[in-house]
Amino acid sequence: MSEKKILRQKMLKYLSGLPEHEKKEMAEKLQKKLYTSPLFQKAETIGITISTDIEWNTYEIIEKAREEGKKIASPKCIVKTKEMQYYVWDQQDQIQVGYAGIKEPIPEKATPIAANDIDLLLVPGIIFDKSGYRIGYGGGYYDRMLANYTGTTLSLCIEKQIVDQIPREHYDLPVEQLITEKRMIKIPK
Ligand SMILES: Nc1ncnc2c1ncn2[C@@H]1O[C@H](COP(=O)(O)OP(=O)(O)OP(=O)(O)O)[C@@H](O)[C@H]1O
Ligand SMILES: [Mg+2]
């Protein structure tokens, strides 16, 4: 098994073993930190996944962003090409469970948006390093997307999810900022 795969599995095991109350506490801390970020405050359109249980909860973030008049765009995975199409949505009946048990916008009900019309993209990940490189779920969906994305990128993770260095492939792309329960880390370009 590749080193990335081993690291990914180890961290997934750790995260899934966290007691519910700790997960909730961490997610709340990450949310609060995110709201203080100028990147969040300035963004008019936010690209964000609708979280599954293993990810940091994004439901409150989506709600908060809407309260502040921001648009929410969420991705739908195109399995055949391993690409993602983002759609703006604002009602529960515009989303449904799709690829890999992830809630996604329904193309007929939500509004497609070009990735580069998203101001701030929250990039999910399982492990990050100090240079912003990440290990995701292994599909390469975000690496493909980031290759053409011109907006700002940010990831939420707890300190435990940050390591010194992650093995990099030529197609791996870093995020620009990490927000943990303790700090905001701007990655130098
Ligand atoms: N820009 C790209 N074009 C073509 N294939 C790519 C590209 N980026 C990644 N891939 C492919 O995607 C696969 C998975 O990549 P990787 O293991 O880095 O996933 P990941 O970063 O964990 O996933 P994700 O980006 O979905 O979070 C690799 O086998 C790689 O060949
Ligand atoms: Mg990658």
Side-chain angles (χ1 to χ4, degrees), residues 4 134 136 143 171-172:
K4 259 193 189 175
R134 50 181 283 286
D143 286 317
Y171 49 76
D172 282 323

Side-chain angles (χ1 to χ4, degrees), residues 116 140-150 171-174:
N116 286 336
Y141 283 90
Y142 281 91
D143 286 317
R144 281 185 188 80
M145 163 153 188
L146 293 178
N148 302 307
Y149 179 65
T150 55
Y171 49 76
D172 282 323
L173 289 167

Side-chain angles (χ1 to χ4, degrees), residues 82-141:
K82 294 227 160 108
E83 288 172 313
M84 291 187 292
Q85 170 66 52
Y86 276 75
Y87 294 87
V88 175
W89 64 283
D90 54 16
Q91 307 268 332
Q92 291 301 316
D93 65 2
Q94 291 174 300
I95 61 172
Q96 71 182 10
V97 174
Y99 170 72
I102 301 165
K103 280 189 190 157
E104 302 179 326
I106 305 168
E108 298 75 32
K109 292 191 179 168
T111 312
I113 179 172
N116 286 336
D117 289 334
I118 296 170
D119 304 314
L120 176 65
L121 187 70
L122 267 74
V123 180
I126 297 164
I127 308 182
F128 297 87
D129 72 15
K130 294 179 168 136
S131 310
Y133 282 85
R134 50 181 283 286
I135 297 180
Y137 287 85
Y141 283 90

Side-chain angles (χ1 to χ4, degrees), residues 27-45:
E28 280 167 8
K29 283 186 181 167
L30 295 176
Q31 288 160 17
K32 289 217 175 90
K33 268 270 177 327
L34 173 67
Y35 304 153
T36 67
S37 157
L39 295 180
F40 179 82
Q41 292 169 2
K42 310 197 283 239
E44 290 175 11
T45 302

Side-chain angles (χ1 to χ4, degrees), residues 160-184:
K160 262 296 254 245
Q161 287 174 283
I162 303 179
V163 300
D164 278 338
Q165 201 174 354
I166 285 171
R168 291 177 201 170
E169 307 293 343
H170 64 90
Y171 49 76
D172 282 323
L173 289 167
V175 293
E176 293 166 78
Q177 188 162 355
L178 298 176
I179 289 186
T180 77
E181 72 278 22
K182 295 214 173 90
R183 54 193 171 138
M184 282 188 221

